[in-house]
Amino acid sequence: MTAIPNSAEKQTKDFVKYQVTERVGYITLARAEKRNALNFEVVSELKRAFAFAEEDDACKVIVLRAEGKVFCAGADLEYIQRLQENDYHENLLDSTHLMELFRMIYTLKKVVIAQIHGHAIAGGCGLAAICDFGFTVPEAKFGYTEVKIGFIPAIVKVFLLRKIGESRAKQLLLTGDLITAEEAEKYGLVNYVVPADELEKRVFAFAQKLCNENSKQSMEVTKEMIARVQGMGLEEGLQYAAEMNAVARGSEDCQRGIASFLNKEQIKW
């Protein structure tokens, strides 16, 4: 892993690393020899890392990145092959384990940015897409190839439908075709395509912008509302929004922010 100045570093076990630099928490997949493929242990370590980062007061924004040439190749197929010997209930426990990771990232209190330096395929594409923001290099390929090996993109589709809509999701999930980084940006899978030699600094600058310019509390509540309101009907959603609006007005961050604006003072969050 590239050394970053002025950082506190923590290794969760073998496959995932965690460190903080200037309030940016980096969670790094470190299974390069297996193209950062996901198995039970990797998912467990990712869950521990995200749980740690969420409670870490030194971390305000999280970046998910990876070592090696590939961001994440999806499920470890040798591991999946071994799971075929399991019964339904054993497989349900394992798939629930992965579901919990995706749900954790989606509902995490802190903003999560994917720093995608290489291909993101199948579950790896789901991992990238589940993040709140995605930065990728032009050379990266994206796609959900499960149908090509007789598998299904079961868990990722729940979040993909929310992110890019039914038409785009069908195009990706039913064809199993890979798309370019530029196409991924057009689809809404990622937000920015940047040159490889600029990726790390661009992601860090964006994370710093969120850290310095935005209220932690406001980002947390806004992210939670985005996740919850999509499951509500119109009237329920509007009532929920009005109630949250009223609560926010009395928050300390709102009072601080408005006072600073009215007094023409620069606030640093």
Side-chain angles (χ1 to χ4, degrees):
M1 183 171 57
T2 303
I4 299 178
N6 304 318
S7 65
E9 186 171 333
K10 178 180 183 297
Q11 173 117 20
T12 58
K13 190 181 174 185
D14 295 317
F15 303 134
V16 175
K17 298 174 183 177
Y18 175 73
Q19 67 181 49
V20 177
T21 301
E22 297 179 41
R23 298 197 293 173
V24 180
Y26 287 92
I27 294 175
T28 307
L29 283 163
R31 201 185 182 210
E33 73 284 358
K34 291 289 187 179
R35 301 190 301 164
N36 296 309
L38 303 173
N39 60 18
F40 190 90
E41 290 76 18
V42 175
V43 172
S44 295
E45 289 188 35
L46 282 170
K47 287 167 74 172
R48 284 196 293 269
F50 275 106
F52 185 90
E54 185 170 39
E55 299 303 321
D56 186 0
D57 291 336
C59 167
K60 185 172 179 179
V61 172
I62 299 168
V63 172
L64 176 63
R65 62 184 182 180
E67 295 180 351
K69 295 182 179 180
V70 174
F71 176 77
C72 180
D76 185 325
L77 296 185
E78 292 180 358
Y79 173 67
I80 295 295
Q81 188 176 46
R82 292 198 301 272
L83 291 182
Q84 291 174 341
E85 300 174 4
N86 290 353
D87 62 25
Y88 167 78
H89 295 288
E90 290 171 325
N91 277 313
L92 180 58
L93 286 173
D94 187 83
S95 61
T96 299
H97 186 47
L98 178 63
M99 175 274 288
E100 289 171 347
L101 170 64
F102 278 65
R103 181 177 62 193
M104 173 184 279
I105 298 172
Y106 186 72
T107 61
L108 207 74
K109 294 177 181 179
K110 296 176 181 177
V111 171
V112 182
I113 305 168
Q115 181 175 305
I116 309 157
H117 74 291
H119 302 329
I121 310 298
C125 191
L127 193 60
I130 200 72
C131 296
D132 303 304
F133 297 96
F135 285 72
T136 183
V137 298
E139 299 81 10
K141 299 289 186 183
F142 296 81
Y144 301 88
T145 55
E146 287 89 344
V147 294
K148 293 186 180 293
I149 60 168
F151 198 39
I152 60 171
I155 297 169
V156 296
K157 79 165 186 333
V158 176
F159 301 100
L160 192 66
L161 284 165
R162 283 182 165 219
K163 185 154 193 170
I164 66 174
E166 183 176 333
S167 179
R168 294 292 200 188
K170 281 184 173 179
Q171 178 71 28
L172 289 172
L173 300 179
L174 294 178
T175 67
D177 292 340
L178 299 181
I179 60 174
T180 65
E182 288 75 12
E183 290 172 316
E185 183 183 23
K186 290 177 182 177
Y187 274 37
L189 274 177
V190 298
N191 302 88
Y192 306 99
V193 180
V194 301
D197 60 353
E198 297 181 12
L199 180 63
E200 186 173 345
K201 67 179 182 180
R202 287 279 296 273
V203 170
F204 182 71
F206 184 78
Q208 282 291 291
K209 172 182 168 66
L210 297 182
C211 286
N212 295 329
E213 297 182 7
N214 295 355
S215 154
K216 175 183 175 181
Q217 181 186 57
S218 296
M219 289 193 294
E220 175 185 333
V221 174
T222 299
K223 180 174 174 176
E224 178 186 0
M225 291 182 66
I226 291 170
R228 291 186 61 186
V229 77
Q230 294 180 77
M232 300 178 181
L234 177 62
E235 292 304 319
E236 181 187 6
L238 287 172
Q239 183 61 38
Y240 168 63
E243 291 169 0
M244 295 302 292
N245 186 299
V247 170
R249 295 179 190 187
S251 71
E252 181 181 344
D253 277 13
C254 185
Q255 294 172 7
R256 238 187 102 197
I258 290 177
S260 296
F261 180 82
L262 293 176
N263 293 329
K264 295 181 172 56
E265 298 172 349
Q266 183 67 37
I267 188 168
K268 183 174 181 180
W269 296 100

